[in-house]
């Protein structure tokens, strides 16, 4: 428990540094939201008036204090374009992003763990080579290309899934799942490749350990042996999966763009393009928080996966 | 144990299979799924010049007058109007039964407040003010305009379809300070905005306004009956063009407002699709008139002499039948104000002559900082051809690549090019933002303006004013020609040519022949 509290407290200065860095990076980059809001044909005077109204004419430190002051009271501010509260924008975007992340990771574990273990079991055989070839290909082909190919194959030629869009879970499990199959398969290919390689390497290492040799000598079957090896190889796999989830929540912009899914990734990119400061700052800060939290969860999971680890 | 695993697997498969069966269609809601050209960010069409906000305005608000399919102003919310013999006194009566979405009646006070708000931002509104316009409500349905001098274009102003179209808001909203956009949407248009379903960056939903009272006349342009055939209209912003076209082919969307040039050929040959023009656009090179070398009109003339419009338009990528080899007018070829006055010397690009003109202008090899947007394909193409053109006549051009949002910020700076300023950038304007000396923003900018580029020529200002306030048609035409002649001498900006943008709809969508000039008058469509 003291470890947990210590880790959470240690996260606070990290988040404070992230807040400052994010603020400075965004405000010092060229571009002016007032000019974008005012539109293509606006005059310089129009833009200047808007800058004053938005508080963008204030010195940078004052703008930071205003933002930070609201932040500590839990107020993430309002999008300077749509005037929609950032919390509402995030609430709209979280469901698709979490759905994609959960389904992609489930698919990844379902495919990658058996595949990697099988490759390790048959190391050097044609099966192993085939699995590794698949992993290399899945990792190398650009995500957008996989997306387009899947859309062509399974939305246009075989009209099984929609081309674009996200159906909310509240509208029924069927439409929800149908809207997620193609984007999740597209994304999962990369993670399957990653986790398959990691699983193969760690299981292979475990299979060469003395205790496995002993277990085999005692006549333990292939499946129990592999399961034991997989269990002992779980720590590095958990790290890879955990970081994968963090990346997925942080933003899978290409997939969200190709399949026109309004998730957190596209929210970040759209906001950066239009310099919507309150949205970018809040989302990046929350993403950093998610990274810290997932790192903590990964560390805690080690204890369950390997009882030898003590905190 | 094995049986349990089997049962679990079977249950999972069954659930998956059930999930993949398409859900039954929702009960008889006739929906149009429309892919707009941009993401809707601002809900206030009176605040930003962005076309997407204007288009939003046409969905949820109504206008006092509107242009018909021939470009003629027609009463829309107005039932009848009178004009005094001398043109100085106008009276307008609103149609009976007009209601805002909050249930309140639309009154003359709302109309007057909306006009006054609009006049604070719009060049047409400013011109009316200069003519001494005074607006006043007479009773609940009647309002009056009195002028100090005749202004022939009163109805053109009230019906203008470009940015800052005059939409009617409730008085309480129209009177709010104009320093921030309005986020409350209370209109009296054919559709209601569903704020609870709005996902900025993705989806905007409208439902038919049950309280809307359409006109009796058939729809024409933006005028006439707005029947609103669809119960629901969804604007789905699909930033990836491939996905948008695939969704159209699959029938997930019905209509793409702005089709990228790359897809035109395949859509033209697709029997299930209906490709049409979505309005004329003009390419424009905006130059900074405050600093050398473009503070010198002779240097600007040299650039004009070097411009081969055909090359610029080809670079954008539209097929030859959708672009013009050359358009001589500043005011959109094919529009009522088209004129060739003053254009003769520049009809054909002549690089040798342009080089000579540059030498004669006394050009001292000053650096030309050309802003090149890297993220907007067609603007990038225009900038790159311009870079080559400038180089070929001996201008010391230095391209500066940046994203469009950075261009918009940089172009507002008045500094010299080597002190954070700029020399030139290319952009495009829709026909309604170019088709007259007052609508064309780079030609309507009088001296002392705050427009990026800061063009200033007092003779041009005088000619514009004379054209605006002249009432005799023949004399107006003469003044228009004189204005353009002078524009070709002082070159407020360089026209880079004209092209037709394209939109595409599925064949089963009816009424696409009534779409007009690139403004999505979606109320004419049906399925």
């Amino acid at each position: 428990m003291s470890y947990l509290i210590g880790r959470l407290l240690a996260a606070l200065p990290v988040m404070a540094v992230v807040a400052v860095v994010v603020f400075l990076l965004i405000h010092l980059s060229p571009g002016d939201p007032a000019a974008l809001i005012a539109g293509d044909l606006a005059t310089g005077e129009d833009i200047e008036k808007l800058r004053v109204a938005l508080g963008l004419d204030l010195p940078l430190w004052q703008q930071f204090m205003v933002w930070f002051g609201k932040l500590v009271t839990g107020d993430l501010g309002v999008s300077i374009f749509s005037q929609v509260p950032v919390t509402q924008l995030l609430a709209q975007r979280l469901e698709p992003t979490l759905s994609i992340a959960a389904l992609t990771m489930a698919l990844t574990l379902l495919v990658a763990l058996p595949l990697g273990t099988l490759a390790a079991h048959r190391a050097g055989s044609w099966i192993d080579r085939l699995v590794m070839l698949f992993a290399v290909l899945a990792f190398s082909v650009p995500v957008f290309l996989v997306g387009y190919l899947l859309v062509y194959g399974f939305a246009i030629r075989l009209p099984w899934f929609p081309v674009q869009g996200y159906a909310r879970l509240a509208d029924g499990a069927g439409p929800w799942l149908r809207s997620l199959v193609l984007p999740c398969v597209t994304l999962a290919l990369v993670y399957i490749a990653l986790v398959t390689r990691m699983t193969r390497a760690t299981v292979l290492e475990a299979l060469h350990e003395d205790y496995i040799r002993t277990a085999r000598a005692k006549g333990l079957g292939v499946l129990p042996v592999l399961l034991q090896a997989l269990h002992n190889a779980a720590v590095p796999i958990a790290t890879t999966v955990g970081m994968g989830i963090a990346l997925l929540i942080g933003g899978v912009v290409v997939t969200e763009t190709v399949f026109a899914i309004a998730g957190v990734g596209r929210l970040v990119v759209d906001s950066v393009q239009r310099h919507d400061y309150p949205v970018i700052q809040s989302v990046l800060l929350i993403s950093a928080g998610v990274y810290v939290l997932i790192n903590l969860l990964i560390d805690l999971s080690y204890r369950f996966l390997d009882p030898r680890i003590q905190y | 144990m094995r049986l349990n695993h089997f049962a679990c697997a079977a249950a999972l498969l069954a659930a998956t299979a059930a999930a993949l069966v398409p859900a039954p269609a929702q009960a008889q809601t006739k929906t149009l799924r429309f892919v707009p050209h941009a993401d809707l960010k601002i809900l206030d069409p009176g605040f930003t010049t962005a076309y997407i906000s204007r288009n939003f305005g046409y969905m949820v608000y109504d206008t006092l007058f509107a242009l018909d399919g021939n470009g003629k102003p027609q009463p829309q919310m107005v039932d009848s109007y009178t004009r005094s013999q001398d043109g100085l006194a106008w009276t307008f009566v609103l149609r009976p039964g007009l209601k805002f979405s909050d249930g309140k009646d639309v009154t003359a006070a709302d109309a007057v407040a909306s006009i006054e708000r609009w006049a604070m931002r719009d060049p047409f509104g400013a011109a009316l003010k200069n003519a001494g316009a005074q607006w006043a409500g007479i009773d609940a349905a009647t309002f009056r305009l009195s002028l100090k001098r005749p202004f022939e274009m009163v109805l053109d102003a009230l019906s203008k379809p470009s940015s800052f179209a005059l939409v009617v808001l409730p008085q309480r909203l129209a009177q709010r300070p104009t320093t921030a956009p309005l986020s409350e949407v209370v209109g009296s248009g054919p559709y209601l905005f569903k704020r609870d379903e709005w996902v900025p960056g993705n989806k905007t939903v409208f439902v038919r306004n049950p309280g809307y009272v359409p006109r009796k006349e058939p729809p024409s342009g933006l005028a006439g009956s707005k029947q609103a055939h669809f119960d629901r209209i969804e604007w789905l912003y699909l930033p990836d063009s491939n996905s948008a076209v695939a969704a159209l082919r699959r029938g997930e969307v019905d209509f793409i407002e702005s089709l990228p040039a790359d897809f035109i050929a395949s859509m033209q040959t697709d029997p299930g699709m209906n490709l049409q023009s979505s309005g004329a656009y003009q390419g424009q090179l905006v130059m900074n008139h405050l600093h050398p070398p473009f503070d010198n009109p002779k240097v600007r003339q040299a650039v004009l002499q070097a411009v081969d419009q055909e090359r610029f338009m080809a670079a954008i990528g539209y097929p030859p039948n959708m672009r013009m080899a050359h358009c001589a007018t500043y005011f959109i070829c094919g529009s009522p104000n088209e004129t060739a006055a003053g254009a003769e010397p520049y009809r054909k690009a002549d690089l040798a002559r342009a080089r000579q003109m540059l030498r004669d202008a006394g050009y001292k090899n000053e650096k030309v900082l050309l802003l090149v947007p890297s993220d907007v394909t067609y603007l990038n193409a225009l900038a790159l051809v311009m870079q080559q053109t400038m180089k070929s006549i001996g201008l010391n051009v230095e391209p500066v690549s940046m994203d469009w949002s950075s261009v918009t910020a940089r172009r507002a700076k008045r500094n010299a090019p080597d002190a954070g300023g700029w020399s030139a950038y290319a952009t495009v304007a829709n026909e309604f933002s170019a088709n007259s000396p007052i609508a064309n923003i780079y030609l309507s900018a009088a001296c002392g303006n705050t427009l990026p580029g800061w063009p200033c020529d007092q003779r041009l200002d005088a000619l514009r004013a004379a054209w605006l306030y002249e009432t005799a048609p023949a004399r107006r035409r003469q003044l228009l020609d004189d204005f353009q002649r002078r524009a070709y001498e002082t070159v407020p900006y360089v026209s880079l040519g004209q092209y037709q943008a394209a939109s595409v709809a599925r064949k089963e969508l009816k009424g696409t022949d009534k779409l007009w000039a690139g403004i999505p008058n979606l109320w004419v469509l049906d399925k």
Side-chain angles (χ1 to χ4, degrees), chain A residues 29-47 49-50 52-54 79-84 88-89 92-93 110 144 148 151-152 154-156 158-166 168 171 173-178 181 254 256-262 266-267 270 272-275, chain B residues 12 15-16 18-23 26 39-43 47-51 121 162-164 179-183 195-202 236-247 249-250 252-253 284 375 403-406 408-409 411-412 425 427-429 433 441-442 448 450-452 454:
Chain A
S29 66
D32 183 357
L36 284 173
I37 292 176
D40 245 16
L41 306 176
T43 64
E45 197 178 289
D46 295 335
I47 295 166
K49 273 186 197 160
L50 194 53
V52 174
L54 293 171
S79 159
I80 56 180
F81 282 83
S82 59
Q83 305 284 307
V84 173
Q88 190 183 323
L89 286 174
Q92 286 174 334
R93 305 291 184 124
L110 217 63
F144 75 90
Y148 289 151
V151 164
Y152 181 73
F154 299 101
I156 307 268
L158 301 170
W160 294 349
F161 303 104
V163 171
Q164 50 77 42
Y166 170 74
R168 305 189 80 82
D171 299 334
W176 174 75
L177 198 56
R178 274 168 56 83
V181 168
V254 176
E256 287 179 358
T257 304
V258 167
F259 293 98
I261 291 175
R266 256 185 67 198
L267 179 65
D270 291 349
V272 168
Q273 279 174 347
R274 66 178 77 144
H275 298 264
Chain B
L12 188 68
T16 310
L20 296 181
V21 172
Q26 283 190 335
D39 175 31
L40 176 70
K41 304 179 193 97
I42 314 264
L43 302 178
F47 188 79
T48 173
T49 58
Y51 291 142
R121 300 295 301 272
S162 189
S163 305
F164 296 141
T179 46
L182 297 172
S183 56
R195 183 179 288 275
D196 57 330
E197 291 192 51
W198 185 33
V199 183
N202 184 238
L236 299 168
Y237 177 56
L238 306 182
D240 184 89
S241 308
N242 276 299
S243 303
V245 169
R249 287 204 161 111
R250 173 77 198 274
E252 288 175 22
V253 297
Q284 300 174 331
D375 56 339
D403 67 342
W404 177 246
S405 72
S406 302
T408 59
R411 69 183 181 179
Y425 69 91
T427 185
V428 300
S433 299
I441 195 151
Y442 290 105
T450 54
L451 189 78
W454 307 279

Side-chain angles (χ1 to χ4, degrees), chain B residues 305 326 328 340-349 353 484-485 488:
Chain B
Q305 185 66 74
H326 184 85
E344 195 49 48
Y346 304 103
R347 196 167 282 280
K348 199 163 167 33
R353 183 157 183 266
Q484 176 160 297
R485 235 174 252 120
Y488 267 110

Side-chain angles (χ1 to χ4, degrees), chain B residues 123-140:
Chain B
F124 246 131
L128 265 167
K129 267 191 199 164
N130 289 340
Q134 294 285 331
W135 299 88
I138 297 174
D139 58 36

Side-chain angles (χ1 to χ4, degrees), chain A residues 89-154:
Chain A
L89 286 174
L90 271 170
Q92 286 174 334
R93 305 291 184 124
L94 266 179
E95 189 193 310
T97 297
L98 291 178
S99 301
I100 290 177
L103 225 62
T104 301
M105 274 305 145
L107 198 60
T108 300
L109 295 178
L110 217 63
V111 177
L113 293 185
L115 214 57
T117 311
L118 178 69
H121 174 55
R122 294 293 187 88
S125 71
W126 66 270
I127 295 179
D128 181 29
R129 287 200 196 110
L130 204 65
V131 169
M132 285 304 99
L133 179 70
F134 161 74
V136 169
L137 277 177
F139 199 75
S140 317
V141 180
V143 173
F144 75 90
L145 188 61
V146 175
Y148 289 151
L149 289 174
L150 288 178
V151 164
Y152 181 73
F154 299 101

